[in-house]
Amino acid sequence: MKKVILMLMVLVSGASFATTYYSTGFEPGEQGSAFVANDGSQNSLYGQGTPAWGRVIQWAEEQSGAVVNWAGYSNSGTQMVYQYGLNSAWLNMGSPKVAKWFEFAFYSWMTDPLAMSRAVTMTGSIGSVEGIHMQLMGNGSITCDGVAVTSVSANAWHTISFEHETTSYNWTDGSGISYDTIYTGTYKVYVDGIYKATAVSANSYNYGDMQTFAFRTATDTWSHTGQWMIDDVSVGDQSIFVPEPATMALLLVGGGLSLIRRRN
């Protein structure tokens, strides 16, 4: 029993406090300003939040989708973003981030098998070097930079987590901020907390950091546009959906303690 308690103390003391660069569930008061929701699709995400969300990427007709008050992911709150048709919502975090994780929860209606919803990351502002390119098709299949990842069920919430591979490299951005790591262009993909595949950005090592991410249902042909909801977006050094090894160890030890108590 003493050994088990000692293991718990070591694991807890070894835990580190990670940095979160951006996190939102689109609830009132998050990210410095209230997100205004509606039970329909009237309150655009565009201009809401701090920093504020943008919209148009390619065409003037693009909209950003709406913050709606329906049923959010995993009881994290009622609000989330609903996108369909020519929707493009993006957020510029203001400066480069070499965050290990980019994650979000999504819910998709699988009506048109050719429909496409996309999530992308970029090194700078809109139009800069693209990093991760994730495609969710209407049949549930997920592809990331040409790699078939998995398929998900219809009409249900799922999570997707991208774990960037980093390497040591000293560099300074345009505003004079120095960094000691950089992305290699390779990243692991987890769906519902489970590892599924490893992919490489189409821009490879030129994707060295992340400043902007975007969610899109618009397509180049203006047909077969996607339809999904987005919730619990996070950019940080620690995953909110994938258990860290230390966490798993704590869970296992906790299970052992429970067994010990039952035996006693």
Side-chain angles (χ1 to χ4, degrees):
M1 186 67 176
K2 290 182 178 179
K3 289 182 178 179
V4 173
I5 294 174
L6 180 60
M7 287 173 63
L8 279 170
M9 291 175 63
V10 170
L11 287 169
V12 172
S13 64
S16 59
F17 295 97
T19 300
T20 299
Y21 297 101
Y22 185 83
S23 178
T24 187
F26 303 103
E27 299 300 315
E30 290 191 344
Q31 287 301 313
S33 64
F35 285 92
V36 180
N38 188 281
D39 288 333
S41 299
Q42 305 304 312
N43 290 315
S44 171
L45 175 62
Y46 173 61
Q48 294 204 57
T50 306
W53 285 76
R55 52 179 177 180
V56 176
I57 291 181
Q58 287 181 284
W59 310 294
E61 293 82 1
E62 288 179 295
Q63 298 300 313
S64 72
V67 180
V68 295
N69 189 25
W70 295 348
Y73 170 72
S74 189
N75 300 316
S76 62
T78 60
Q79 297 189 180
M80 63 269 169
V81 174
Y82 174 45
Q83 287 187 297
Y84 69 97
L86 297 177
N87 284 179
S88 296
W90 55 267
L91 185 129
N92 187 325
M93 293 180 286
S95 63
K97 314 296 182 188
V98 190
K100 185 177 181 180
W101 296 91
F102 168 55
E103 307 174 281
F104 58 92
F106 64 92
Y107 185 111
S108 180
W109 290 270
M110 310 298 181
T111 54
D112 177 0
L114 298 179
M116 181 191 298
S117 301
R118 291 177 286 176
V120 298
T121 63
M122 284 155 273
T123 59
S125 58
I126 287 294
S128 59
V129 174
E130 185 179 286
I132 295 169
H133 189 124
M134 171 253 189
Q135 296 178 333
L136 170 67
M137 301 302 295
N139 62 5
S141 63
I142 297 175
T143 301
C144 293
D145 284 292
V147 175
V149 174
T150 190
S151 291
V152 294
S153 58
N155 305 319
W157 280 103
H158 300 280
T159 66
I160 189 160
S161 305
F162 304 96
E163 181 184 15
H164 295 96
E165 179 183 271
T166 61
T167 187
S168 297
Y169 182 76
N170 294 317
W171 59 285
T172 303
D173 67 20
S175 60
I177 300 175
S178 297
Y179 303 81
D180 57 9
T181 57
I182 197 168
Y183 294 159
T184 66
T186 299
Y187 58 92
K188 294 179 181 178
V189 185
Y190 301 77
V191 176
D192 295 327
I194 301 172
Y195 169 77
K196 295 295 183 180
T198 296
V200 179
S201 169
N203 287 294
S204 189
Y205 59 85
N206 289 317
Y207 174 56
D209 56 80
M210 176 173 56
Q211 182 169 323
T212 299
F213 53 86
F215 301 108
R216 308 192 69 196
T217 52
T219 62
D220 293 341
T221 62
W222 291 25
S223 61
H224 302 296
T225 56
Q227 184 180 16
W228 65 353
M229 291 186 293
I230 300 292
D231 202 358
D232 286 354
V233 181
S234 180
V235 178
D237 290 335
Q238 186 169 315
S239 173
I240 62 173
F241 299 129
V242 181
E244 293 285 346
T247 303
M248 290 302 295
L250 283 169
L251 291 173
L252 289 172
V253 171
L257 283 172
S258 178
L259 287 173
I260 290 171
R261 283 196 295 269
R262 288 177 183 176
R263 287 173 182 173
N264 291 338

